[in-house]
Amino acid sequence: MPLRLRGGGGSKRGMPAPPTMTPKALIHQKYGAKACYSVEEVREAVDGGCPGLALPQQTRSVYRCSLDLPGLTVVTPGTFVRKKDAEQVAAQIALDKLGIQPTANAPSTPEEAWDELIARISGFFADENFPSSSHPLIGHMCVTFRRTGNRFGMIPLSAIAACDVKVNTLCKLIDPKAEFDPLLVLSLIYNAAKKSPGVSVSDSNLWIQNQKPYSPEAVDVALQRWSSITNPIEVDGIFVPCAMEDEPKTITLRLSHNEHYMGDIVTNLSASDSSHAVVSRTVGKASSEIRLYFSAPNVQFVSEMSNNGVASLGDGNMEYLINKRASYISGQTIYGDAILANVGYTRRDSEIHTEDVTLFTYYRILLGKLPNGNYKMSRDSILVAELPSVYSRSSWKGLSPRDLLCSFCRLHRLAEPAVNRVSASCKVLGSAASSEEMEVLKNMENQYASDGTNGKEKPDMFKYEVKIYSKMQKLLLEYSTADTWSKESDAIHNSSLKVLIWFHSYFEQLNKHGQKLSLSKSSDGFTIYPDNILHEFAMFLSIYGNTGGDDSSACSTVGSLSMDTTEQKLENNAILAHIEGPDSGIFPSHGSLTCISYTASLVVKDKAKRYLLESNSEFEFEIGTGAVRNQLESCVTQLSVNQSTCFIAELPPRDLILAASSEFSHDLSKISRDNCFLEFSVKVLQVTEPLEDRMEKALFNPPLSKQRVEFAVRHINELHATTLVDFGCGSGSLLDSLLEHPTTLEKVVGVDISRKGLTRAAKVHNRAFMTSLHQKLSKKSLMQTVVPTAMLYDGSITDFDSRLYRFDIGTCLERSAMPNKEDEPEENAGPCKFRNHDHKFEWTRSQFQHWAAGLAEKHNYSVEFSGVGGSVQIECIIRSSMQLGAPAAAAAAAVRRAPTFQARRAADARELLGALLPPSPTVRHVQQAHARLAVLGLAAPRAMPHLLAVIPRLLPDRPHDDDDYAYPLALFRGANSTSAFVSNNLLRVLPHPLPLSLFPRFPRRNPHSFTFLLASISNHLNAAGPSGSACSFLGSHVHAIAVKAGAAGDLYVRNALVHFYGVSGDLGAMRRVFDELPRVRDVLTWNEILAGYVRAGMMAVAREMFDEMAVRDEISWSTLVGGYVKEGELEVALGVFRNMVEQGVRPNQAAVVTALSASARLGLLEQGKFVHDVVQSSGMSVCMNVGTALVDMYSKCGCVAVAREVFDGMKRRDVFTWNAMICGLAAHGLGRDAVELFERFISEGLSPTNVTFVGVLNGCSRSGLVAEGRRYFKLMVEKWSIEPEMEHYGCMVDLLGRAGLVPEAIELIEGMHIAPDPVLWGTVLSSCKTHGLVDLGVSVGNRLIELDPTHDGYYVLLSDIYAKANKWDEVRKVRKLMSSRGTSKSAGWSLMEAQGKVHKFLVGDTYHKDFVQIYDTLEMINKRLTEAGYVPDVSSVLHDIGDEEKVHAIKVHSERLAIAYGFIVLEAGSPIRIVKNLRVCGDCHEFSKMVTMVFEREIIVRDGSRFHHMKEGKCSCLDYW
């Protein structure tokens, strides 16, 4: 796609709507600290593991809240799982009683924002209790509280802008330009403060204070929380001059104990008053307090600026006072000289936060804003690393391209990149070879139109487009390519990398050409909008000469480089003269992964002084991708492994030098470039061949033996075969070998299940044909060799393919598996098996022949078997042989080929080991490979570490002893090596506490040793829980040893420490490790601290950390989602998951399972379907965990049929999957189906758990299967030895009670081996109500009320029993007793999901925005039902009122309102799904059934008891609930 230029009118995206204010926020807005919340914790029973279970099995903490306001006190009517829910409900009740109507959204107009800004500033100063809060602004105030005189309580206005995010947000709503102008923000705050009641603002300076004093108690609280500066503090900052000819320099800021720090800073800028400080937003990461400070003009200017703007104030010099460098760094307009400093107050600290800012920090901030800057810093290689030209998962190092692009956009205040998938097509690989024309494998993607596959859509190919928008949603650039990838991540990262490279090229053009935009180097596929781009990077244009580029003369502000030196200077193609070390013969080549160590030093010639700028002990990159500077790559390609050299390189831009020199930045800033040069010292440590070559060598080396090829040629010619198909062709070695011999073949086809293999085959053939095939065929012309057509198909030997019909001969190589000699003697060895790791099956030879013969008979062709390398009847242990069948149509041989293993002394044990082991090896596989290496004479000590490296953790599911680990310990001793590599592999294998006992004996260690040791302790803590708390001391001891050994600064060690302290619960130590070295962090570090806070339930802090992350991966998102679900904030969790998907992050299985769990618990089908759609669109395999979660979600959302489809479609199921399906069927009243599934479960040899029997017994209870329930309860104890728990007794009591066998239920309770809880007696009470057992019910009810006087349900049931007996006096007594004890009946509500939103209805609800239309529709429904014969049953209205009032009361139940709303918003014929918190009453149940019959609509209700599927006037519960 060619590049297209467009004007500045790029398309815009819609701006997000502001969030809705919560009730608690509205109360705080009106009352502030006067609103007092009191939360009471109570215990109540919880539901079981499946929906609809009538008997909860355990108790949990729930909360009720009271809210005290001036003149009003409210209490929540019920209890809530979360404290914040109780507080929000209390706030909502108060709002209702006060008549305060919440606004739909936050301020959306400048006028509304202006009013709220005035109110917020007034709240800071007019509220006398504000100092007792934790707002960071209190830290600023505490400085002034310790003053005396007329400056007491006065703070600079900029302190508000620095501390309060909401103030800045309101300023942006008032004037969008405020986002980019801190002086305008100050002006708006000043003018708002002038109008704020209770606030005093001076007309001569920019101080602000309260008019009335704060309460002494609040001030005391503030002074106790915020520490004072006892002694003056000195902190380094950077002075950024406005004049471009002046250089930034380091200055020392002195912060005094009785002066506000902003005043101390701006005094260095010659400000007229210490209150005239203006502060920018934070620079760099949001977690830092690095800001730019500059001095404001006079007060009159500030006051009038927000009204008139800079241009109309008559001060034309302001435009010329813009500090371009400072403005570029902050993304805001900075006026005059500025200071970059890291000082401020935060919520996390109790004292002022200070940290030095050096030139090193300043230039790294500049570097981070370049397209390749973050990549350089992520590799810790400023002077060497360059942005690679291509992305490959196997060789890419550092931050991923998508993360780099996101970070680049954030730093330039652009919107998040829009990375969207577009449709992609994949065509079958093919080639054509003619004896007359030598154009082989040309236009491969278009060669297969004849076989009907051209243009066929392949669902597993991905193509992505990238769009870059400005903060104002103007389109800057869009990129789309015709290339497709088989992996979604490859498509995303390659597209992102192309955009990064374009920006890098664009920035270089700006450096060379100013504002002239040259398109000569732009890649195809881009559409750009130059006007929009130039507008966004306008500030960059003016200072780019100081930020980077490859032209040293343009980038230097001191002078251009003069390379007048006698030292050797390496050009791109120069030959190195001085190379140290012997020639190993292993040289880096194009595509190889090369590991080097290097140092880069700046040498001052006249002073003979050397500054070490950068060093790296292990730096890995791929040759030929541009991942390092050209001079270094040219040097490396001339060295073999273990050789080293030194050379002189071009001096990089000054800014890069200062960004790399952490220790010498101040000294180097004063050195002239004319008098110095850059010296590199480099050594090649390791060279790894390109992935493709390694796979070829591992899988197909050595090539086919001469014996096998001659056998094939002879067989082909004897049969006069003209067509041949090679199954499992791999890289096509057989097809290539056949060209060496004369045959009768006219068409050859290769088939392989692996598309990667086919791609390799196409490349190999393309290379072979284009280089040597012409010579081969020229020689073979004398031998009458003709191979006119060669083709490649993707397919399998086990799948019939019509394209291969009527082929004469088929070939394949068999792979035979070696029996374990330890398990079975050789003379008793069983049949040799042929193993195929792609198809995941293995056959004996007789089984294969039986299969192939049956296939031949089915498709009407004949097949014969022959081979080489052993008789067909004789079994072998290690052999790779060929079998042929003639004539074959679809298949003719065994399975996949493997290497022929020969005892070659020169063989690489590591590569051979990779070929011997399957993708997921077990200890048995490792032992077999060890045996093979021993047989081949390759089990040298050097192979032992590699064997040790692939051993997985042993016996994770049962207790271990020392004998279990005798084999890895023997490998360790046999390795005959004291290297840290061997020791670390042993640490990875052994479980706790063996690593701790062995660690002191290791002669050598490196940082990874501490990483593996800490991982062992953390894993033990995770598994042991509270009982493993003693290990916390051991981890701290390892930390101390790491510090002493100098390993604590290693990134991986720090990550392991953060993880350990998070697991152990020591959040203080975790945070200290995290904060100690901000530079030594990666995304894993952030993920670990995020997981630590989530594990501790501190979701507010976790969310703050998440928002501060510059780069987030799928683990970051899934951790946050899981945390919210763990804390019961299910809707928030689903919102985070949706946001994750919308931002283009592919969720992992953990995030999917967690989101499905949240959807299931809420009963929100649409949310669950959205998660399922994400699973399908992302190509994620439905493993057992995901499948189980889907079954559970669909079951709990009322789609039990879909749940069964998912269950039946799963290839593998564990006991949790079966339990979810059995419990789901039971909850839907399909008791017999649950019983049948349980019997199938038992027949498959699986062992049930206690949860399995809960589901079965619950199903029996729901369907009235009394005999079956009794039988399974008995079998559970007698056959499966499962002791009944409270849940099982609850199911049985419910079963007997529903069947009217209440005495038997009581007898069962009294005979329990554990003490019954009140819930069981509550079930008996419910049964008494159902069956009219008044006397027994009264006795049980009174007993329950005495046992648990706070449970409102027992009062309600008892009053219902009296009401059914028309004992209204007794009803009133129970109600009065209930009221006197502070309990009330839980309010009934119903939820319905429609149009992407969840709608909640209460009894007689009039709060819904469409309530008028809802009641009109409900009236229409009632009229139609009355005409059809519906008569209300008012027996469920248990109040002493007239029948007419009872009819009116029952007509406005919440589920009826939900049904009416479903008629309004849902399409005709679609099911109406409702979630109700209480058991549906009898009349509403009958009403719903009538609706399904009269209106032909399906209704699904999930109530507090079970699911009700209503259709055609019938319900799945059979009126038994």
Side-chain angles (χ1 to χ4, degrees), residues 776-798:
K776 291 182 180 180
L777 292 184
S778 296
K779 294 178 182 179
K780 287 195 276 288
S781 61
L782 301 175
M783 301 180 287
Q784 298 181 347
T785 299
V786 177
V787 183
T789 305
M791 309 184 79
L792 298 173
Y793 294 140
D794 63 327
S796 166
I797 189 173
T798 59

mmCIF file of all heavy atoms in Angstrom, residues 776-798:
data_model
loop_
_atom_site.group_PDB
_atom_site.id
_atom_site.type_symbol
_atom_site.label_atom_id
_atom_site.label_comp_id
_atom_site.label_asym_id
_atom_site.label_seq_id
_atom_site.Cartn_x
_atom_site.Cartn_y
_atom_site.Cartn_z
ATOM 1 N N LYS A 776 21.972 -29.331 -11.294
ATOM 2 C CA LYS A 776 21.554 -30.719 -11.091
ATOM 3 C C LYS A 776 20.756 -31.231 -12.283
ATOM 4 O O LYS A 776 21.000 -32.308 -12.799
ATOM 5 C CB LYS A 776 20.718 -30.846 -9.829
ATOM 6 C CG LYS A 776 21.484 -30.642 -8.542
ATOM 7 C CD LYS A 776 20.568 -30.835 -7.351
ATOM 8 C CE LYS A 776 21.309 -30.625 -6.062
ATOM 9 N NZ LYS A 776 20.434 -30.809 -4.896
ATOM 10 N N LEU A 777 19.774 -30.458 -12.720
ATOM 11 C CA LEU A 777 18.910 -30.918 -13.800
ATOM 12 C C LEU A 777 19.635 -30.928 -15.126
ATOM 13 O O LEU A 777 19.306 -31.707 -16.018
ATOM 14 C CB LEU A 777 17.677 -30.025 -13.883
ATOM 15 C CG LEU A 777 16.736 -30.147 -12.683
ATOM 16 C CD1 LEU A 777 15.489 -29.298 -12.903
ATOM 17 C CD2 LEU A 777 16.347 -31.583 -12.440
ATOM 18 N N SER A 778 20.648 -30.082 -15.254
ATOM 19 C CA SER A 778 21.441 -30.121 -16.482
ATOM 20 C C SER A 778 22.180 -31.445 -16.576
ATOM 21 O O SER A 778 22.263 -32.050 -17.638
ATOM 22 C CB SER A 778 22.435 -28.954 -16.501
ATOM 23 O OG SER A 778 21.748 -27.734 -16.524
ATOM 24 N N LYS A 779 22.702 -31.897 -15.441
ATOM 25 C CA LYS A 779 23.377 -33.192 -15.441
ATOM 26 C C LYS A 779 22.385 -34.322 -15.630
ATOM 27 O O LYS A 779 22.642 -35.300 -16.321
ATOM 28 C CB LYS A 779 24.109 -33.389 -14.120
ATOM 29 C CG LYS A 779 25.259 -32.405 -13.913
ATOM 30 C CD LYS A 779 25.907 -32.625 -12.561
ATOM 31 C CE LYS A 779 27.021 -31.616 -12.326
ATOM 32 N NZ LYS A 779 27.645 -31.799 -10.997
ATOM 33 N N LYS A 780 21.210 -34.170 -15.029
ATOM 34 C CA LYS A 780 20.233 -35.267 -15.085
ATOM 35 C C LYS A 780 19.532 -35.337 -16.430
ATOM 36 O O LYS A 780 18.783 -36.252 -16.668
ATOM 37 C CB LYS A 780 19.216 -35.118 -13.959
ATOM 38 C CG LYS A 780 19.766 -35.447 -12.604
ATOM 39 C CD LYS A 780 18.684 -35.640 -11.603
ATOM 40 C CE LYS A 780 18.240 -34.337 -11.022
ATOM 41 N NZ LYS A 780 19.174 -33.714 -10.127
ATOM 42 N N SER A 781 19.735 -34.334 -17.278
ATOM 43 C CA SER A 781 19.091 -34.404 -18.587
ATOM 44 C C SER A 781 19.592 -35.577 -19.386
ATOM 45 O O SER A 781 18.898 -36.137 -20.219
ATOM 46 C CB SER A 781 19.344 -33.095 -19.352
ATOM 47 O OG SER A 781 20.748 -32.922 -19.542
ATOM 48 N N LEU A 782 20.857 -35.978 -19.104
ATOM 49 C CA LEU A 782 21.396 -37.161 -19.767
ATOM 50 C C LEU A 782 20.757 -38.430 -19.240
ATOM 51 O O LEU A 782 20.754 -39.451 -19.899
ATOM 52 C CB LEU A 782 22.917 -37.223 -19.565
ATOM 53 C CG LEU A 782 23.698 -35.999 -20.090
ATOM 54 C CD1 LEU A 782 25.173 -36.123 -19.711
ATOM 55 C CD2 LEU A 782 23.528 -35.860 -21.601
ATOM 56 N N MET A 783 20.211 -38.332 -17.996
ATOM 57 C CA MET A 783 19.605 -39.514 -17.382
ATOM 58 C C MET A 783 18.094 -39.499 -17.542
ATOM 59 O O MET A 783 17.398 -40.272 -16.918
ATOM 60 C CB MET A 783 19.970 -39.565 -15.895
ATOM 61 C CG MET A 783 21.474 -39.626 -15.650
ATOM 62 S SD MET A 783 21.885 -39.700 -13.892
ATOM 63 C CE MET A 783 21.528 -38.036 -13.410
ATOM 64 N N GLN A 784 17.574 -38.570 -18.329
ATOM 65 C CA GLN A 784 16.138 -38.483 -18.601
ATOM 66 C C GLN A 784 15.332 -38.322 -17.298
ATOM 67 O O GLN A 784 14.324 -38.968 -17.077
ATOM 68 C CB GLN A 784 15.659 -39.711 -19.364
ATOM 69 C CG GLN A 784 16.320 -39.858 -20.727
ATOM 70 C CD GLN A 784 15.828 -41.070 -21.479
ATOM 71 O OE1 GLN A 784 15.181 -41.931 -20.931
ATOM 72 N NE2 GLN A 784 16.156 -41.142 -22.761
ATOM 73 N N THR A 785 15.829 -37.423 -16.418
ATOM 74 C CA THR A 785 15.111 -37.133 -15.176
ATOM 75 C C THR A 785 14.149 -35.985 -15.420
ATOM 76 O O THR A 785 14.545 -34.932 -15.878
ATOM 77 C CB THR A 785 16.087 -36.752 -14.073
ATOM 78 O OG1 THR A 785 16.958 -37.856 -13.860
ATOM 79 C CG2 THR A 785 15.361 -36.436 -12.787
ATOM 80 N N VAL A 786 12.890 -36.194 -15.098
ATOM 81 C CA VAL A 786 11.884 -35.154 -15.277
ATOM 82 C C VAL A 786 11.049 -35.066 -14.001
ATOM 83 O O VAL A 786 10.456 -36.045 -13.576
ATOM 84 C CB VAL A 786 10.981 -35.451 -16.489
ATOM 85 C CG1 VAL A 786 9.905 -34.373 -16.592
ATOM 86 C CG2 VAL A 786 11.791 -35.515 -17.760
ATOM 87 N N VAL A 787 11.051 -33.907 -13.381
ATOM 88 C CA VAL A 787 10.172 -33.647 -12.239
ATOM 89 C C VAL A 787 9.429 -32.358 -12.550
ATOM 90 O O VAL A 787 9.837 -31.279 -12.147
ATOM 91 C CB VAL A 787 10.951 -33.533 -10.926
ATOM 92 C CG1 VAL A 787 9.983 -33.347 -9.766
ATOM 93 C CG2 VAL A 787 11.808 -34.767 -10.706
ATOM 94 N N PRO A 788 8.329 -32.438 -13.310
ATOM 95 C CA PRO A 788 7.702 -31.203 -13.804
ATOM 96 C C PRO A 788 7.007 -30.384 -12.725
ATOM 97 O O PRO A 788 6.943 -29.186 -12.826
ATOM 98 C CB PRO A 788 6.701 -31.695 -14.842
ATOM 99 C CG PRO A 788 6.387 -33.094 -14.405
ATOM 100 C CD PRO A 788 7.624 -33.632 -13.785
ATOM 101 N N THR A 789 6.469 -31.010 -11.689
ATOM 102 C CA THR A 789 5.673 -30.259 -10.716
ATOM 103 C C THR A 789 6.011 -30.700 -9.297
ATOM 104 O O THR A 789 6.054 -31.897 -9.026
ATOM 105 C CB THR A 789 4.162 -30.474 -10.955
ATOM 106 O OG1 THR A 789 3.863 -30.129 -12.303
ATOM 107 C CG2 THR A 789 3.348 -29.589 -10.012
ATOM 108 N N ALA A 790 6.250 -29.696 -8.410
ATOM 109 C CA ALA A 790 6.443 -29.960 -6.978
ATOM 110 C C ALA A 790 5.497 -29.061 -6.201
ATOM 111 O O ALA A 790 5.408 -27.874 -6.487
ATOM 112 C CB ALA A 790 7.886 -29.689 -6.577
ATOM 113 N N MET A 791 4.759 -29.631 -5.255
ATOM 114 C CA MET A 791 3.752 -28.866 -4.507
ATOM 115 C C MET A 791 3.845 -29.195 -3.017
ATOM 116 O O MET A 791 4.313 -30.267 -2.636
ATOM 117 C CB MET A 791 2.344 -29.164 -5.032
ATOM 118 C CG MET A 791 2.202 -29.031 -6.540
ATOM 119 S SD MET A 791 0.515 -29.288 -7.113
ATOM 120 C CE MET A 791 -0.185 -27.720 -6.718
ATOM 121 N N LEU A 792 3.358 -28.252 -2.204
ATOM 122 C CA LEU A 792 3.341 -28.426 -0.750
ATOM 123 C C LEU A 792 1.932 -28.168 -0.233
ATOM 124 O O LEU A 792 1.319 -27.166 -0.585
ATOM 125 C CB LEU A 792 4.318 -27.453 -0.077
ATOM 126 C CG LEU A 792 5.800 -27.606 -0.440
ATOM 127 C CD1 LEU A 792 6.595 -26.464 0.164
ATOM 128 C CD2 LEU A 792 6.335 -28.938 0.036
ATOM 129 N N TYR A 793 1.424 -29.110 0.578
ATOM 130 C CA TYR A 793 0.102 -28.960 1.188
ATOM 131 C C TYR A 793 0.231 -29.059 2.700
ATOM 132 O O TYR A 793 1.088 -29.785 3.204
ATOM 133 C CB TYR A 793 -0.866 -30.054 0.725
ATOM 134 C CG TYR A 793 -1.228 -30.030 -0.729
ATOM 135 C CD1 TYR A 793 -1.334 -31.204 -1.457
ATOM 136 C CD2 TYR A 793 -1.472 -28.824 -1.383
ATOM 137 C CE1 TYR A 793 -1.671 -31.194 -2.798
ATOM 138 C CE2 TYR A 793 -1.806 -28.804 -2.727
ATOM 139 C CZ TYR A 793 -1.904 -29.993 -3.432
ATOM 140 O OH TYR A 793 -2.235 -29.953 -4.754
ATOM 141 N N ASP A 794 -0.671 -28.365 3.426
ATOM 142 C CA ASP A 794 -0.763 -28.608 4.857
ATOM 143 C C ASP A 794 -1.841 -29.658 5.087
ATOM 144 O O ASP A 794 -2.940 -29.562 4.559
ATOM 145 C CB ASP A 794 -1.074 -27.321 5.633
ATOM 146 C CG ASP A 794 -2.415 -26.722 5.267
ATOM 147 O OD1 ASP A 794 -2.816 -26.856 4.099
ATOM 148 O OD2 ASP A 794 -3.055 -26.126 6.138
ATOM 149 N N GLY A 795 -1.534 -30.671 5.874
ATOM 150 C CA GLY A 795 -2.476 -31.755 6.109
ATOM 151 C C GLY A 795 -1.864 -32.790 7.026
ATOM 152 O O GLY A 795 -0.785 -32.620 7.583
ATOM 153 N N SER A 796 -2.569 -33.916 7.169
ATOM 154 C CA SER A 796 -2.154 -34.956 8.101
ATOM 155 C C SER A 796 -2.338 -36.310 7.447
ATOM 156 O O SER A 796 -3.225 -36.504 6.606
ATOM 157 C CB SER A 796 -2.987 -34.879 9.383
ATOM 158 O OG SER A 796 -2.827 -36.054 10.142
ATOM 159 N N ILE A 797 -1.534 -37.253 7.856
ATOM 160 C CA ILE A 797 -1.645 -38.612 7.323
ATOM 161 C C ILE A 797 -2.964 -39.260 7.717
ATOM 162 O O ILE A 797 -3.454 -40.154 7.045
ATOM 163 C CB ILE A 797 -0.447 -39.459 7.807
ATOM 164 C CG1 ILE A 797 -0.412 -40.811 7.083
ATOM 165 C CG2 ILE A 797 -0.491 -39.656 9.298
ATOM 166 C CD1 ILE A 797 0.823 -41.608 7.398
ATOM 167 N N THR A 798 -3.567 -38.778 8.803
ATOM 168 C CA THR A 798 -4.801 -39.397 9.290
ATOM 169 C C THR A 798 -6.049 -38.787 8.677
ATOM 170 O O THR A 798 -7.144 -39.258 8.939
ATOM 171 C CB THR A 798 -4.891 -39.257 10.813
ATOM 172 O OG1 THR A 798 -4.870 -37.871 11.156
ATOM 173 C CG2 THR A 798 -3.739 -39.959 11.493
#
